[in-house]
Amino acid sequence: MSVSPKKISHIGVAVRNLEEAIPWYRDQLGLEFEGIEVVETEKVRVAFFRIGESRIELLEPTSADSTMAKYLEKRGEGIHHIALEVEDLPARLQSLKENGIRLIHEHPKPGAHQMNIAFLHPKSTGGVLLELCEPNSKNLG
Ligand code: ZN
């Protein structure tokens, strides 16, 4: 049994410097820039651009020992992950785990934009770093 995820929440793009990356998305592509948020748990600064019901999120490491800094060192800038919005994230994680899917986070943790998030391991997802997320308040669209 698997309920379909609701939508693509966002696409995460790794960048070295937000201020250098933002003008391309805002001024050349004309995407709606929503602002910047620091996500302490992930040691990243995130710039949000709205596109339809989804977002593009630019991710800049805030410290050299962060996962994002290591990713940039190894792989360079570019698409980092795809996030799908789901309902009942804890139950979905449990079910994936039972099916032998490797999880980076077995339990949801706080992410940007009042979302609870969990990453799945790319070894279990055909090489795509997948994030599942769920708004942590029912008031939020
Ligand atoms: Zn994300």
Side-chain angles (χ1 to χ4, degrees):
M1 155 338 266
S2 218
V3 181
S4 174
K6 294 167 75 178
K7 64 180 187 182
I8 293 177
S9 165
H10 59 270
I11 295 170
V13 178
V15 303
R16 291 199 173 83
N17 184 298
L18 281 188
E19 280 65 34
E20 285 173 17
I22 285 169
W24 158 246
Y25 292 90
R26 184 191 55 202
D27 305 333
Q28 300 300 319
L29 285 179
L31 291 178
E32 179 194 342
F33 175 52
E34 296 183 304
I36 292 174
E37 186 179 330
V38 175
V39 183
E40 303 285 357
T41 53
E42 295 291 315
K43 296 184 182 172
V44 287
R45 280 171 80 221
V46 188
F48 298 92
F49 296 89
R50 192 157 193 87
I51 174 164
E53 61 174 5
S54 304
R55 289 188 171 94
I56 290 176
E57 299 187 359
L58 306 184
L59 310 159
E60 176 202 76
T62 56
S63 87
D65 67 347
S66 63
T67 311
M68 192 55 64
K70 286 175 186 134
Y71 178 92
L72 281 166
E73 245 170 59
K74 208 167 141 191
R75 315 276 290 270
E77 296 184 305
I79 291 180
H80 178 261
H81 68 273
I82 295 174
L84 306 181
E85 187 174 318
V86 300
E87 282 171 342
D88 206 355
L89 179 55
R92 190 176 279 263
L93 291 173
Q94 181 62 33
S95 151
L96 288 169
K97 190 185 170 191
E98 283 165 12
N99 291 338
I101 304 299
R102 277 179 69 182
L103 309 176
I104 294 175
H105 307 112
E106 294 196 0
H107 304 286
K109 57 180 211 158
H113 269 188
Q114 289 90 43
M115 299 288 254
N116 290 324
I117 67 167
F119 280 91
L120 312 183
H121 199 286
K123 285 222 163 80
S124 280
T125 61
V128 178
L129 181 57
L130 262 187
E131 172 189 337
L132 300 181
C133 59
E134 179 178 35
N136 64 17
S137 160
K138 298 296 173 198
N139 299 327
L140 298 165

